[in-house]
Structure formats: structure tokens, C-alpha cells
Amino acid sequence: MMEHIRTPKVENVRLLDRSSGQRKANVGTLYLSSMHTIFVENNPETRKETWVLHSMISSVEKPPTIPAGSQLILRCKDFRVFQIVIQQERDCLDVYTSLVRLSRPEKYSELYCLSFNPSVDKEERQESWNFIDLMADYKRMGVPNNLWVMTAANSEFRVCDTYPSELFVPKSATPSVIVGSSSFRSRGRFPALSYFHQDTLAAVCRCSQPLSGFSGRCHEDEMMLQAVMKSNPGSDYIYVVDTRPKLNAMANRAAGKGYENEDHYANIKLQFIGIENIHVMRSSQQKIIDVSEMRSSSMTDYLWGLENSGWLKHIKAILDAGVFISRAVADEGVSVLVHCSDGWDRTAQACSVASILLDPFYRTIKGLMVLIERDWVSFGHKFSHRYAHLDGDPKEVSPVIDQFLECVWQLSEQFPCAFEFNERFLIVIHTHVYSCHYGNFLGNCQKERKDMRLHERTHSAWPQLWKDRAQYTNSLYKAELSQTQGVLRPNTTPYCFKMWRGLYNHVEKPTPPSQSAADFLSAVREQSQQLEEELTNHQERIAALTGKPITSEKVVVLRKRSSHLWQKHCGPDPPTTYSDSITGPSQENGHAFSSVPANQKAQTRGPTVTLAQGLRTNLKCHDIDDLSTCSDLESGVADLNS
């Protein structure tokens, strides 16, 4: 890649990080390497360095020249925006030409992960790739069993080259039925097991659309769906969830594809969800990016832009799909077969969101890694096409996994105690998907990765993320809480969806929203622990003075009515409106609350805690350390209405 660099070094360059809210440009030296653009400030005290991986650059723009010099705008795939001003037009043109080529690699060997070489030996590298064991996860589900077995039909990718070689299918499905079903499904993607629910024996399966056209049918495919239904002894039918809008599915019939005819499949109930295609999603995200970059706009303009983008409507549609599947499996005990067109975009979204809702394991740090490896990497999501790892067709690019990660974030906002990981973990996964720093998300299917020998030539991101898990851990998470263990039942009414500012608005990262329910609860818990420690110390001193042991008592938060602070609210997410603002730093330092010292008389009646500075909340909690007693509709958010 060095041959594409026309000017490796330019001095007296001005750089402005527009995404961080920076107002004054820094002056320094710009360096171009084969993989990074590096800016080093001239300030001898700081010498701050800014590194931008070329594979993270989405576009390079060259606006008109200004009095200070020639401009370049770098827009990154993680939504950072850098403005560069170079004094000489010739230097600017050389840097522009170099960056356009460096940010659009034409072959895999030009990507960073194939040159990234940490000091580990071959054994350590291979061990890092074995960190995630999908077969162990299936065993955790109770598979294989007398209902579901592993098939050798796709060994060496003989039946479907975009599927993994190891698949679980109904025990009654013979190899001839599998091959026949594959021939009747788009891209050969026949029904295979994604998730098995041990309590209800219902399963979530996935495939692609049938090649039915207007009247086509396939006896083997009908037998395959019958086998899926028979693999659940508790139900005499299955749901077929077509994640597309029905109009789109009907249009595909003209191309010889389409959806299942209920007259031919007697044991199915067809359900359309209405998730739009990749082109609509790409356009929608661009609009949300434009909204996040708006400067000096009114609240009306911002809200209009947010509504006009349709982004949150699409997030709601994906979450609705997951809710439908999880309710069918957990509440009705009915198996579900999920597909879209080719079964690698909307299908992956719906199946993985349903797994998050159904199984608390996938709400842990290790569990989310396993889920992404199973439903996205293993089942053939087209990472390299969707996230423009190589210079190719821009119409293939779409923020599919972005939407899944946002669905997880939206759930974590409703259920802040139910997830072991925090927002930072989701954002770093998003970054690794686009950066090609590691080999996990390279290629479009397992066969491609095997042909490229990625396990021998690249490193896995998961062990490093696991090593750094302390910074990705949610401080509110408690594995023993009721909402952590059970099925999540989110509220999907429109008002429950929020703009993910942590991802799109980098300017807001240093100061987290002061009205966040998670921050509020974290501060309450920290203050409660401090008060309990003080109480224990006082009791020990009294016991030492009187010579009599003091019986330990629970700390009780006084309930005070503050109707002017909190309005009556229904749903799992209480309104975030305070009469007195809470600043981020004061919460972090534990100064958002003040306690009233308990005198001897108060100790006789029982210790008292008062939340001061206008934050008089009505926590339904008698055991402050146990947030499970503070949950509102299993959300983990304190009920502040009574």
C-alpha cells in the first residue's frame, strides 16, 4: 500500500475533530502510513496523536478552498468527522488522492488484520480462535437430543456454501429431504436450528425464502417444515415468520421466489413483520447521520429530522420481530421458522434479538460474543459486502448489524440491570465490525474464511475483549435478579425508543446524559452502600460503649410524594424529568445525594435516609442492596410513581 502514498508527511496542518465538539483546530504534522493517517500536534507539552485507520474511513471529501488553505473532510464509519486544512493546494491534492485509494482496499491482503502481528506464537493464536465454542453453546441448550441432531449433509459445504458445515436439523429430516428442501430455497439455505428452548421444547429455526413463484411447490420442503413441527411435541403447528413487508414478498413471486403457500403447508401459520430492505435502511441511517451533524439547529428541526429519517421506526420493527418470536417460543410453546429473502440480514436480526429476549446467557459479555458468532458469523452474514471492507458495489452496503446492536442498546435502556455489559461494549463491537483490525468479521461466510485461512493469518477479537471486560461491565448488573434470569418483555410503543447518542454523537461521550436511569440507579446504590457502612460503624461504636450488641436493621428509604417532579407513567421506562439537574461528575463522585446523620433517637426508630437537592424519589425498595425489589415491570428501574 505504500506505493499509493504520494506525500507521506505534511507539516503545519490544521485538524478539527468536528464529531467531538472541538471548536479550535489544532496545528501539527500529518503522516500517511500504509494503514493509518496520523496527526501529531505541535504543542510540545501534549504532543497529542490522532490515529485514523484507513479502513475506518467511509468517504474523503474536498470542499472549496478557504483563506486558511485547502480543505479535506474525512467521514469515518464510526461517525467521527475530521476536517483537515492544508496550506498548499498541491499537498492537499496529493493527500486526497492517497486517502481515496488507501480507504478503498481492493483485495483482502490490503486490510489491516492481515498485517496486524502481535507477539503471540501459533499455539496462542489458535487458542484465541477456540475461545468461542459454538458446539458448547448448543450443548448448553440441550442439543443434540432425541428431537434435534447434527447433520453431515453440509460437510465441506456441499449443500449450501453460505451455511456452516455443522448444522442441527430435526431428527426425522433425512438427507434426501434436506437436499430437496435446499434446492427449493434461495441460495440453498434450508431450515436449520438457531435456538432451542429447553423448557417448552420449541425452537427458532432459520432459512431463506422458498422458490415458489405463483404456484410452485416442493414435496421435500413441505416434509422439512413438517419435521420442524414434529420436533416440538407440544404443538401441532409452527409459525413461519417472514420478516419482510408482505408487499415486498409478493413482488418476489414475479421473480420465481416469494413465500410459503399455506394451502401447501398445512401445519404453518404465516406472519409478516415488515422490516424494510437494505436499501431503505442505508438511506435511513444516512439521514440519522445528517441529523446528528446538524449545527445550531432548533429543537423542532432536530425532531423533524429524526422523525423524517424513520430510523427508530425501523429499530422498532426489528424489536417487534424478536418480541413475536420470543412470545411464540416461551409463552405459546410453538416453534418458529424465520426467513427474509436470502436469510442473512433481517433473519439474523430477528433470530438474535429473540435469543437476547429468551435467554439470559446472551445478555452476558461472553454470551453476546457467542450469539454474534452463531447467528451472524457462522450463518453467513455478508460482513465484507455490508460494511464495505473492500471497494465494491455501494448498493450492497447497509447497517444491518448496527441495527441489531442498537436493539440491544434499546433493551439495555429499558432493563438496565439485566445486561452484564455496558454501552461501551456494544460500541467497541461496532468498531471492530468495520475496522478489520481482527479477522472475526472478514469475509461473507464460513467457507470464504476457511479458504482464506484466516485462523492462521489473523487474530480473534474476542479474547482481547474478554481480557478487557472490566471496562465493559455494567455496574448495575446482578445475575440473581428476577429480570436478569427471566424472559425480557420490552415495551415497544414508540415513546420507549431513544436516539443512541453514545454512538452517533461523539460530542456527548465525555458527559453521559444526566437523566439516564442507569446513572441514577447506580448513584442510589453507591450512596446506599456508603450509608449501610456508616450504620454498621455506628452500631459497633454503640455496642462498644454500652456493652450490648445492636441488632442490625434494614435501611429504609422514606417515601415522599413529589407530584410536581414525577407524573404518573405507565410502562417499564419511567420519564426522565428532574426539577433539579444532576451533573455527570457529581454523580460519579457521589455528591448528587446527601444523607441525614441518624442520631440515637433515630436509630431506635430505625435508620432514615433522605435524598436531598430536589431528588426526592419514591423507591419501592426495603433492601437497598437488592435492586430486584426495586424493579418496575421487571425493568430494573425503580418505580417512582407511588
Side-chain angles (χ1 to χ4, degrees):
M1 297 290 282
M2 293 297 294
E3 65 271 17
H4 304 301
I5 301 175
R6 296 191 176 188
T7 302
K9 177 182 178 182
V10 183
E11 296 182 336
N12 296 320
V13 173
R14 295 180 180 273
L15 181 136
L16 183 69
D17 185 354
R18 284 172 25 179
S19 54
S20 68
Q22 183 181 347
R23 294 180 178 272
K24 185 178 179 181
N26 296 317
V27 180
T29 303
L30 189 73
Y31 299 90
L32 295 185
S33 73
S34 60
M35 295 296 170
H36 293 88
T37 292
I38 308 160
F39 177 81
V40 182
E41 289 183 14
N42 286 345
N43 188 334
E45 296 181 0
T46 58
R47 298 289 292 177
K48 178 183 176 183
E49 297 182 1
T50 301
W51 291 61
V52 179
L53 192 62
H54 291 148
S55 57
M56 286 296 289
I57 298 176
S58 175
S59 65
V60 185
E61 303 170 11
K62 192 176 183 303
T65 301
I66 59 176
S70 301
Q71 298 184 90
L72 291 179
I73 303 295
L74 305 186
R75 299 186 184 276
C76 298
K77 297 173 183 178
D78 60 355
F79 313 114
R80 291 180 298 166
V81 180
F82 296 98
Q83 181 178 1
I84 299 173
V85 179
I86 301 175
Q87 291 181 345
Q88 300 296 323
E89 171 67 19
R90 182 176 180 179
D91 290 338
C92 183
L93 188 60
D94 285 344
V95 172
Y96 171 76
T97 304
S98 301
L99 286 179
V100 167
R101 175 61 183 86
L102 292 170
S103 63
R104 298 175 183 173
E106 296 176 351
K107 49 190 177 181
Y108 286 120
S109 60
E110 297 177 356
L111 293 173
Y112 182 60
C113 61
L114 290 164
S115 62
F116 175 60
N117 190 27
S119 56
V120 296
D121 54 32
K122 291 183 179 180
E123 289 73 19
E124 287 180 278
R125 185 202 299 253
Q126 187 57 45
E127 188 177 341
S128 75
W129 281 109
N130 295 332
F131 181 74
I132 299 298
D133 185 354
L134 294 185
M135 290 302 107
D137 187 47
Y138 281 112
K139 289 179 181 178
R140 183 189 62 84
M141 297 182 211
V143 176
N145 52 38
N146 61 341
L147 303 172
W148 296 88
V149 296
M150 183 182 291
T151 177
N154 202 45
S155 61
E156 300 301 321
F157 314 101
R158 290 176 298 185
V159 177
C160 176
D161 60 359
T162 62
Y163 261 1
S165 57
E166 297 176 326
L167 289 164
F168 288 93
V169 296
K171 188 175 183 179
S172 58
T174 63
S176 60
V177 167
I178 294 172
V179 173
S181 176
S182 174
S183 65
F184 191 66
R185 294 280 167 176
S186 178
R187 311 283 183 173
R189 295 170 69 89
F190 57 90
L193 179 69
S194 173
Y195 177 76
F196 179 72
H197 196 278
Q198 294 189 68
D199 294 339
T200 63
L201 303 183
V204 179
C205 301
R206 55 184 295 172
C207 62
S208 60
Q209 65 182 336
L211 305 178
S212 54
F214 290 103
S215 57
R217 62 185 300 181
C218 172
H219 180 63
E220 288 83 3
D221 193 63
E222 294 166 23
M223 291 178 63
M224 188 69 179
L225 268 63
Q226 186 75 8
V228 172
M229 186 271 293
K230 289 182 178 179
S231 293
N232 180 7
S235 178
D236 57 1
Y237 67 93
I238 63 171
Y239 284 112
V240 174
V241 171
D242 192 325
T243 58
R244 303 167 293 180
K246 187 173 183 179
L247 191 62
N248 295 21
M250 293 176 66
N252 278 351
R253 281 187 160 187
K257 301 177 183 179
Y259 55 91
E260 291 79 0
N261 187 330
E262 291 182 87
D263 293 334
H264 299 161
Y265 299 87
N267 61 319
I268 72 169
K269 291 187 178 181
L270 193 59
Q271 179 75 28
F272 290 95
I273 297 295
I275 303 173
E276 297 290 350
N277 62 36
I278 60 172
H279 313 296
V280 174
M281 300 306 191
R282 180 176 60 250
S283 174
S284 179
Q285 190 187 55
Q286 184 56 54
K287 291 177 182 177
I288 206 73
I289 293 171
D290 295 341
V291 168
S292 66
E293 293 182 7
M294 291 173 67
R295 294 183 175 183
S296 303
S297 60
S298 66
M299 181 58 71
T300 301
D301 292 338
Y302 177 83
L303 293 176
W304 183 88
L306 183 61
E307 174 67 21
N308 186 56
S309 73
W311 183 254
L312 294 181
K313 179 187 73 174
H314 300 316
I315 298 299
K316 170 178 162 52
I318 297 167
L319 199 53
D320 281 336
V323 168
F324 179 88
I325 296 167
S326 65
R327 288 178 177 172
V329 170
D331 298 344
E332 300 179 45
V334 177
S335 294
V336 182
L337 177 65
V338 187
H339 71 72
C340 49
S341 296
D342 293 320
W344 49 45
D345 291 323
R346 288 168 281 197
T347 300
Q349 291 175 330
C351 290
S352 51
V353 169
S355 294
I356 289 274
L357 297 174
L358 285 166
D359 196 329
F361 172 67
Y362 301 120
R363 303 195 285 268
T364 65
I365 292 175
K366 183 75 172 285
L368 187 64
M369 296 177 185
V370 171
L371 180 62
I372 292 174
E373 278 288 333
R374 187 192 74 206
D375 273 335
W376 294 83
V377 178
S378 174
F379 267 103
H381 177 61
K382 298 169 67 176
F383 280 95
S384 288
H385 287 172
R386 293 293 178 260
Y387 312 113
H389 292 163
L390 300 180
D391 189 26
D393 185 359
K395 293 182 180 179
E396 281 285 300
V397 178
S398 191
V400 183
I401 202 168
D402 301 45
Q403 292 179 312
F404 163 66
L405 294 173
E406 181 153 346
C407 284
V408 178
W409 178 81
Q410 296 284 353
L411 289 170
S412 71
E413 286 292 290
Q414 287 198 34
F415 304 93
C417 298
F419 291 83
E420 184 184 25
F421 49 82
N422 56 24
E423 177 188 51
R424 184 181 297 179
F425 186 57
L426 300 175
I427 292 175
V428 77
I429 290 175
H430 177 272
T431 300
H432 284 315
V433 166
Y434 283 93
S435 70
C436 300
H437 192 154
Y438 296 92
N440 300 74
F441 309 114
L442 206 60
N444 296 309
C445 61
Q446 194 183 79
K447 183 178 185 299
E448 267 192 34
R449 297 181 190 98
K450 185 176 180 180
D451 292 343
M452 288 191 288
R453 298 183 294 111
L454 289 184
H455 284 203
E456 302 172 24
R457 304 169 64 196
T458 67
H459 298 265
S460 173
W462 302 130
Q464 185 61 45
L465 294 181
W466 181 252
K467 180 181 178 181
D468 299 335
R469 63 187 179 278
Q471 60 183 296
Y472 306 130
T473 301
N474 172 19
S475 59
L476 293 177
Y477 176 76
K478 283 192 172 182
E480 69 273 11
L481 295 186
S482 59
Q483 71 269 18
T484 304
Q485 291 300 321
V487 176
L488 296 186
R489 305 180 190 279
N491 189 336
T492 60
T493 50
Y495 75 85
C496 291
F497 292 85
K498 306 173 184 178
M499 172 75 170
W500 191 0
R501 294 179 293 183
L503 181 65
Y504 293 103
N505 297 93
H506 289 256
V507 64
E508 302 200 27
K509 280 188 176 181
T511 54
S514 60
Q515 297 177 347
S516 165
D519 291 341
F520 181 70
L521 279 174
S522 181
V524 170
R525 190 176 73 172
E526 182 180 348
Q527 181 68 9
S528 300
Q529 290 173 346
Q530 292 176 359
L531 290 169
E532 286 184 341
E533 290 174 2
E534 291 180 14
L535 175 61
T536 302
N537 291 335
H538 287 313
Q539 289 176 337
E540 290 176 353
R541 291 178 62 188
I542 293 172
L545 291 172
T546 62
K548 296 180 181 180
I550 302 295
T551 305
S552 179
E553 300 182 43
K554 294 273 187 183
V555 178
V556 180
V557 177
L558 286 181
R559 298 168 179 256
K560 289 190 178 182
R561 292 285 180 181
S562 298
S563 58
H564 67 286
L565 292 179
W566 296 95
Q567 302 299 323
K568 186 64 179 175
H569 172 76
C570 297
D573 189 18
T576 53
T577 305
Y578 300 96
S579 65
D580 292 284
S581 62
I582 313 173
T583 62
S586 64
Q587 280 192 15
E588 291 173 1
N589 297 329
H591 298 148
F593 306 96
S594 65
S595 63
V596 178
N599 56 24
Q600 187 170 354
K601 182 177 180 181
Q603 288 180 358
T604 304
R605 295 194 311 265
T608 301
V609 178
T610 302
L611 306 185
Q613 298 179 2
L615 300 175
R616 298 179 294 276
T617 53
N618 310 311
L619 300 178
K620 288 174 64 177
C621 177
H622 294 285
D623 184 354
I624 290 181
D625 192 50
D626 183 6
L627 289 178
S628 65
T629 61
C630 304
S631 62
D632 178 20
L633 297 182
E634 290 191 335
S635 68
V637 179
D639 181 0
L640 305 173
N641 305 310
S642 58

